[in-house]
């Protein structure tokens, strides 16, 4: 009895603290009530992301149960509380998101080919994409009478082996080596297998000559294909690829050097049909319709010109979206533009974060797999940053129109554009580092100069050229278009050449990226001072990226290509004849922007025609690496001795059991389970492409192989 009052007082104090804390949260949510709806697509996205991050059905089901459990626990909160409603809705939406992408992957995805095969394929053409920069044509096919093949495949055909005017519906026959869609070659690289699964592509390959036409297409080339050919013939040189991309969204004609310059300068978004292009087109259509209809006296006095012009702009936006292939950024931009036009027609303020949230919700419902792609993330992040900055009272007060001398007005406009550019660069930098291992540092300045070119010069000139081509008078406009695009490329190459153009980072762990994403959304979606609490997670994530140690050894999934970090900090490559794609992939995943030298030329390497032994000083000790260089057999006494002296042995073949290095044996058998590897010698961390137990449907399971005899000497 003596302790009862003390126990009761402690209980009352705890209850009072909890009650006061709950009341403060409710007051804060009441202040932020207009922002709560913005978290609907975020909650749906959490469930979708959970399905991609977790490895298998048991974990996916646990994710759904955890989300529903959160919703049930929230029901214990007082009835009518905003926190109760928010948590219940968030839990249900997260569960729906996980089930949504799980269901789509189960019923609509295309399982990959089980193993590489040579086959005689007869198939109907379903898609054609020309790649003049690579001198090939990329063709989508539906195999005919081939139950062993996937329902849809994608094949590259040399331009010389395919007839001019290839179109949908044509039936082709050829021999091809088909392979499952490629997974990431190294940790952090692009996962084409995952993308192909949701696109319905079960195998890829390169056709072998001759390519026989079995049945001619019943319909001619599509409007997009005809535009591609027409524009390519009107604009000469490198600007032709940019002109085609702006009109059709097809980037296959852009030279790799120009594409890399656009990426390094932060201007690559100009090549992907998105908000800038759709908005410019719709705005131009509305402007022209208003001016033309205003010339008719009766229409100007009696007709609702704004509604008519908005309807015309909406039709133009939908048509442009379909013409350019209906990619996610274009669809998002079109949906947002339609919502803006609807808001204007109703006399409401249309450009708000709710509009952006609605567009994101529509995209996630129909294309949930888009959430983890850089296109969706960068597109919506940029728009959210722009709208959030525009809604901030201080920026709004600074940028609002006012009566002032034109030099001051021009300076204010330039400053506002620079501020928006900086905001976009800051928001996009973590996304670019996560997906591409590089982020532009001069993008804000480059965009300040370059964005007016396509918006007010190139696209209007291209539209005029296409219109005047109907009467054969478009040549002058095409010439001006080419000169304007050449100026855009000059800006891109000039900025890209600067040593300050990009910031590099090795492969960024998903956990760090998730922390930054949560903090960024917290900063952008709330309006009160509590929004700045999101800077904490953002800072933690950015510091974590800055402290990432680059890998010392990178091995591709086939074991053929190995890159090591030299004591001088440069990177060296095993096979000097590796192509540009392999070199770029290994450099980017390592956070290295220099030239890859040859391992054989390192002072720490001793190489023969069969083997390379490399000594890497790390962490106060020397690590010995042994790598096979070709498919030739090595005598057992030599290989067994060298394996025993090495810490790590790497080979693209299956190594015999008696090859026993001191730490790791990386051969074909191990790589078939793990995929590509990156190794940090000082930390002892090994990152793999495939996680143990990963059951996502696009992953090809390794097949059992016959045991290699020890007498083959490592063959």
């Amino acid at each position: 009895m003596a302790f009862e009052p003390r126990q009761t007082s402690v209980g009352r104090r705890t209850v009072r603290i909890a009650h006061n804390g709950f009341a403060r949260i409710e007051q804060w949510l009441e202040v932020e009530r207009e922002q709560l709806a913005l978290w609907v697509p975020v909650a749906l996205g959490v469930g979708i992301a959970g399905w991609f991050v977790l490895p298998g059905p048991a974990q996916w089901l646990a994710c759904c149960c955890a989300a529903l459990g959160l919703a049930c626990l929230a029901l214990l909160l007082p009835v009518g509380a905003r926190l109760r409603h928010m948590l219940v809705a968030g839990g249900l939406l997260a569960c729906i998101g996980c089930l949504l992408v799980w269901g789509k992957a189960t019923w609509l995805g295309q399982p990959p080919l089980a193993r590489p095969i040579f086959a005689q394929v007869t198939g109907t053409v379903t898609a054609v994409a020309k790649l003049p920069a690579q001198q090939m044509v990329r063709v989508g096919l539906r195999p005919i009478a081939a139950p062993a093949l996937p329902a849809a495949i994608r094949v590259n055909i040399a331009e010389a082996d395919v007839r001019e005017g290839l179109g949908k519906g044509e039936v082709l026959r050829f021999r091809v080596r088909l392979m499952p869609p490629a997974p990431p070659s190294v940790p952090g690289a692009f996962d084409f297998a995952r993308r192909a699964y949701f696109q319905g592509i079960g195998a890829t390959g390169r056709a072998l000559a001759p390519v026989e036409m079995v049945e001619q297409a019943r319909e001619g080339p599509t409007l997009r294909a005809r535009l591609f050919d027409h524009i390519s013939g009107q604009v000469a040189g490198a600007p032709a690829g940019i002109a085609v991309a702006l009109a059709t969204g097809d980037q296959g004609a852009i030279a790799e050097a120009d594409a890399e310059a656009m990426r390094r300068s932060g201007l690559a978004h100009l090549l992907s049909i998105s908000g800038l292009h759709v908005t410019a087109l719709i705005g131009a259509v509305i402007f022209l319709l208003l001016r033309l209809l205003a010339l008719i006296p009766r229409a100007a006095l009696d007709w609702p010109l704004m509604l008519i012009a908005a309807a015309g702009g909406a039709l133009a936006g939908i048509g442009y979206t379909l013409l350019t292939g209906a990619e996610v950024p274009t669809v998002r931009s079109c949906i947002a533009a339609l919502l803006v036009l609807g808001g204007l027609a109703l006399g409401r303020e249309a450009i708000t974060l709710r509009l952006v949230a609605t567009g994101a919700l529509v995209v996630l419902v129909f294309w949930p797999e888009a959430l983890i792609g850089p296109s969706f993330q960068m597109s919506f992040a940029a728009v959210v940053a722009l709208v959030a900055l525009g809604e901030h009272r201080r920026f709004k007060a600074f940028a609002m129109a006012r009566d002032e001398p034109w030099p001051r007005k021009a300076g204010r406009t330039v400053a506002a554009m620079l501020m928006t550019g900086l905001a976009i660069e800051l928001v996009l930098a973590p996304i670019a580092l996560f997906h591409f291992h590089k982020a532009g540092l001069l993008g804000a300045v480059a965009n300040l100069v370059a964005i007016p070119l396509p918006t007010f010069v190139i696209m209007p000139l291209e539209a005029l050229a296409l219109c005047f081509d109907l009467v054969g008078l478009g040549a002058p406009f095409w010439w001006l278009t080419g000169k304007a695009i050449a100026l855009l490329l000059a800006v891109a190459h000039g900025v890209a050449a600067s040593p300050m153009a990009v910031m590099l980072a090795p492969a960024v762990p998903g956990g760090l990226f998730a922390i930054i994403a949560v903090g960024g959304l917290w900063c952008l979606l709330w309006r009160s001072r509590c929004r700045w609490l999101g800077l904490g997670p953002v800072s933690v994530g950015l510091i974590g990226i800055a402290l990432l140690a680059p890998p010392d050894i990178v091995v591709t999934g086939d074991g053929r290509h190995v890159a090591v970090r030299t004591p001088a900090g440069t990177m060296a490559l095993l096979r000097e004849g590796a192509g540009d794609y392999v070199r770029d992939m290994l450099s980017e995943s390592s956070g290295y922007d220099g030239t890859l030298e040859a391992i054989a030329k390192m002072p720490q390497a001793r190489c023969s025609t069969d083997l390379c032994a490399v000594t890497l000083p790390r962490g106060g000790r020397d690590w010995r690496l042994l790598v096979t260089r070709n498919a030739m057999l090595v005598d057992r006494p030599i290989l067994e001795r060298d394996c025993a002296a090495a810490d790590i042995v790497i080979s693209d073949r299956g190594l015999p059991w008696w090859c026993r290095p001191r730490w790791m044996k990386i051969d074909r058998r191990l790589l078939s389970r793990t995929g590509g590897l990156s190794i940090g010698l000082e930390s002892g961390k090994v990152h793999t492409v495939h996680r143990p137990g990963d059951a996502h449907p696009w992953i090809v399971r390794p097949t059992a192989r016959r045991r290699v005899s020890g007498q083959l000497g490592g063959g």
Side-chain angles (χ1 to χ4, degrees):
M1 294 295 292
F3 292 98
E4 185 177 356
R6 182 177 298 174
Q7 293 171 348
T8 304
S9 63
V10 170
R12 288 177 179 174
R13 186 162 55 251
T14 303
V15 171
R16 185 166 60 253
I17 292 173
H19 182 271
N20 292 338
F22 179 77
R24 290 184 178 181
I25 293 175
E26 284 297 303
Q27 291 174 0
W28 171 59
L29 292 178
E30 178 65 24
V31 173
E32 298 276 12
R33 61 185 180 276
E34 296 294 330
Q35 307 298 105
L36 297 181
L38 304 180
W39 292 90
V40 170
V42 176
L44 190 71
V46 167
I48 296 172
W51 185 84
F52 282 102
V53 171
L54 298 174
Q59 291 79 11
W60 303 336
L61 186 60
C63 176
C64 295
C65 293
L68 293 176
L70 175 65
C72 293
L73 286 175
L75 294 175
L76 300 177
L77 296 174
V79 177
R82 291 192 182 275
L83 183 60
R84 170 190 170 114
H85 295 160
M86 188 175 179
L87 293 179
V88 170
L92 292 176
L93 285 168
C95 179
I96 291 172
C98 186
L99 294 175
L100 183 67
V101 67
W102 191 355
K104 183 172 183 179
T106 301
W107 290 306
L108 300 180
Q110 175 62 56
L113 191 67
R115 58 185 177 84
I117 60 171
F118 272 102
Q120 179 88 7
V121 174
T122 302
T124 304
V125 175
T126 59
V128 179
K130 294 185 178 181
L131 305 174
Q134 304 176 34
Q135 297 182 345
M136 68 173 59
V137 179
R138 184 165 290 162
V139 178
L141 289 169
R142 186 174 63 251
I144 299 174
L149 297 180
I153 63 176
R154 196 182 78 177
V155 178
N156 293 332
I157 307 176
E159 281 184 337
D161 296 335
V162 65
R163 73 173 185 86
E164 187 67 26
L166 177 67
K168 292 183 180 180
E170 190 164 318
V171 178
L172 302 178
R173 180 184 294 129
F174 49 81
R175 281 189 60 78
V176 61
R177 184 175 188 265
L178 292 175
M179 302 182 65
S185 294
V186 294
F190 173 63
D191 192 349
F192 175 69
R194 181 177 61 199
R195 182 178 180 182
Y197 179 82
F198 286 101
Q199 289 182 339
I201 301 172
T204 61
R206 187 181 180 96
L208 305 177
V211 177
E212 178 186 354
M213 183 184 68
V214 178
E215 182 179 334
Q216 194 168 358
R218 299 177 182 175
E219 58 185 47
T222 62
L223 175 60
R224 188 183 188 191
R226 294 198 299 272
L227 274 177
F228 187 105
D229 294 335
H230 178 74
I231 297 173
S232 299
Q234 297 296 323
V235 182
I242 307 294
V244 169
L246 292 176
T248 67
D250 194 330
Q251 302 181 26
I254 302 176
E256 180 57 31
D258 293 334
E260 179 63 17
M262 297 291 283
R263 287 192 291 266
R264 289 179 62 89
S265 60
L267 301 178
H269 65 93
L270 299 178
L271 305 179
S272 176
I273 303 300
S274 57
L276 176 67
H277 311 78
V278 175
T279 304
L281 175 69
I282 292 177
V285 171
I286 292 176
F287 176 82
L288 291 175
L289 285 178
L290 282 175
R291 292 299 182 268
L292 292 175
L293 291 174
L295 297 176
I296 306 174
R298 183 175 179 182
L301 294 174
D302 300 332
W303 295 0
L305 298 187
M306 188 60 204
L307 285 177
I308 296 174
L315 291 176
I318 294 173
Y320 189 45
T321 300
L322 296 176
L323 173 67
T324 55
E327 298 290 340
V328 170
T330 320
V331 172
R332 190 271 309 161
S333 304
C334 185
I335 294 172
L338 295 179
L339 292 174
V340 169
L341 295 176
L344 292 175
L346 296 174
R348 300 284 299 275
E349 183 182 0
I351 305 177
T352 63
L353 285 176
R354 288 199 173 196
L355 177 147
V356 182
T358 303
L361 189 62
V362 172
V363 172
L364 290 178
V365 168
F366 289 98
W367 301 279
E369 70 278 5
L371 174 73
I372 59 171
S375 177
F376 176 92
Q377 295 172 8
M378 300 184 82
S379 177
F380 278 97
V383 175
V384 169
L386 278 176
V387 178
L389 180 64
E391 290 182 350
H392 195 279
R393 57 183 180 83
R394 292 186 179 178
F395 180 82
K396 189 182 297 185
F398 174 80
M400 67 183 299
R402 65 195 74 186
D403 291 331
E404 58 184 350
W406 71 264
R408 181 175 296 181
K409 181 178 294 187
R412 191 181 301 276
T413 302
V414 171
M417 292 179 63
L418 187 59
M419 291 170 64
T420 56
L422 287 173
I424 293 175
E425 289 297 322
L426 290 174
V427 170
L428 296 186
I431 303 175
L433 289 174
F434 178 71
H435 289 285
F436 310 118
H437 317 295
K438 63 177 66 174
L441 297 178
L442 302 178
V445 178
N447 279 280
L448 185 65
V449 177
I451 282 182
L453 272 175
T455 307
F456 301 112
V457 179
I458 297 175
M459 292 185 67
L461 281 175
E462 197 163 349
L464 288 173
L466 290 171
C467 292
F468 276 91
D469 274 345
L470 298 175
V471 293
L473 299 176
F477 297 98
W478 286 121
W479 183 83
L480 292 173
T481 300
K483 295 300 181 183
I485 295 176
L487 179 59
L488 176 65
L489 288 175
V491 172
H493 282 279
V495 174
S498 171
M500 298 288 294
V502 295
M503 173 177 60
L504 300 173
V508 177
L512 285 179
F513 179 67
I515 291 173
I516 295 174
V518 171
L521 288 171
W522 190 273
C523 289
L524 293 173
L525 299 187
W526 297 125
R527 283 186 173 178
S528 63
R529 292 183 177 180
C530 290
R531 69 192 302 178
W532 304 120
L533 294 176
L535 293 178
V538 171
S539 301
V540 170
L542 293 177
I543 293 173
I545 292 177
L547 296 178
L548 284 176
D552 296 302
I553 303 172
V554 182
V555 186
T556 58
D558 57 6
R560 287 179 50 81
H561 301 286
V562 180
V564 300
R565 187 170 296 275
T566 68
T570 60
M571 296 294 293
L573 187 64
L574 175 66
R575 300 179 187 270
E576 297 183 62
D580 292 338
Y581 173 76
V582 172
R583 289 175 176 272
D584 292 342
M585 175 186 60
L586 292 172
S587 297
E588 290 173 0
S589 65
S590 305
Y592 177 69
D593 197 30
T595 303
L596 292 175
E597 56 185 87
I599 287 181
K601 297 179 181 178
M602 292 174 55
Q604 298 84 6
R606 295 182 296 104
C607 295
S608 66
T609 56
D610 301 321
L611 300 170
C612 255
V614 186
T615 301
L616 299 176
R618 294 290 189 279
R621 58 161 293 187
D622 289 337
W623 294 81
R624 291 181 172 83
L625 174 67
L626 180 67
V627 188
T628 62
R629 303 189 68 184
N630 53 43
M632 299 300 293
L633 303 182
V634 181
D635 293 337
R636 173 168 179 171
I638 297 175
L639 183 60
E640 188 172 7
R641 179 201 64 201
D642 290 348
C643 283
D647 296 293
I648 303 172
V649 178
I650 303 174
S651 177
D652 58 346
R653 298 172 283 170
L655 294 171
W657 63 270
W658 40 260
C659 177
R660 296 177 178 177
R662 289 194 286 260
W663 184 32
M664 290 186 66
K665 181 167 71 174
I666 303 171
D667 63 353
R668 183 178 58 195
R669 300 183 187 91
L670 177 67
L671 292 173
S672 67
R673 299 191 302 270
T674 64
L677 301 172
S678 64
I679 304 171
L681 295 178
E682 291 191 30
S683 62
K685 293 182 178 179
V686 179
H687 298 281
T688 64
V689 167
H690 301 314
R691 296 170 296 169
D694 197 334
H696 286 98
W698 56 82
I699 296 178
V700 178
R701 302 293 179 271
T703 56
R705 296 179 181 269
R706 181 175 58 87
R707 181 180 176 89
V708 180
S709 171
Q711 297 300 321
L712 292 180

